[in-house]
Amino acid sequence: MKKYSPEEVQASFSFSVPIQVRLSDIDGYMHVNNGIYFNYLEHARAMYLYQACGWDVMDIGTVLANIQINYRKPIHAEDSPIVFVTCTEIGRSSFVLEQVIMGKDKEGNQVVFAASTTTMVAVDMKTMRPVPVPEAYAAKLRSS
């Protein structure tokens, strides 16, 4: 998985979603619990598919096949994370999303908190079986 700098993220990703850190996200170590990062990534993926791709998940859904995450810096309550999303690969029924959680820490420094690679599979919502990624969505994945 690529180790992004803040400058590379700004230059390489056209879609992003700001994240509000909630008090319930904070664990006993006084930073965002590692499992909460997956919620942030999931929210950003859903917004990306809906907003950037116009994906109708009630017809052709998506399921998570694989996720990898590299934690770089802890997120604290006063930080302002943003999740950046881009598609890096499209297969027959799957596609790969690269996601970076980046933002300003409480001192105002731009930092990368984590990076993730996610493989998603397109599925028919009636049968839950894999289906080819519809070309209309694939075109939008390629361009966003």
Side-chain angles (χ1 to χ4, degrees):
M1 183 179 322
K2 184 173 177 160
K3 189 174 182 180
Y4 287 98
S5 69
E7 297 76 24
E8 289 174 304
V9 173
Q10 293 285 1
S12 302
F13 291 74
S14 60
F15 184 86
S16 64
V17 175
I19 300 294
Q20 175 65 52
V21 177
R22 300 164 301 198
L23 182 59
S24 61
D25 297 345
I26 306 298
D27 63 16
Y29 297 106
M30 301 310 294
H31 56 65
V32 172
N33 182 273
N34 66 81
I36 300 298
Y37 286 59
F38 292 96
N39 294 352
Y40 295 169
L41 295 168
E42 179 181 38
H43 174 70
R45 281 194 308 274
M47 297 308 293
Y48 172 76
L49 292 175
Y50 179 71
Q51 292 178 349
C53 302
W55 199 295
D56 179 3
V57 295
M58 298 312 290
D59 180 33
I60 302 294
T62 60
V63 295
L64 183 70
N66 181 281
I67 187 165
Q68 297 175 350
I69 186 168
N70 286 337
Y71 298 95
R72 301 265 308 272
K73 294 190 181 284
I75 300 172
H76 295 93
E78 297 172 329
D79 296 338
S80 302
I82 299 169
V83 181
F84 293 79
V85 185
T86 193
C87 183
T88 58
E89 184 181 333
I90 303 170
R92 183 184 170 307
S93 62
S94 66
F95 54 97
V96 176
L97 298 178
E98 192 81 15
Q99 295 181 267
V100 176
I101 304 174
M102 184 177 88
K104 292 192 177 184
D105 63 16
K106 68 180 179 178
E107 287 84 29
N109 301 309
Q110 191 75 265
V111 297
V112 173
F113 298 109
S116 174
T117 301
T118 305
T119 303
M120 304 295 294
V121 177
V123 295
D124 179 291
M125 289 302 290
K126 292 179 183 84
T127 66
M128 293 308 289
R129 304 280 302 153
V131 296
V133 174
E135 183 51 42
Y137 298 147
K140 291 177 183 177
L141 287 166
R142 282 186 209 95
S143 67
S144 57

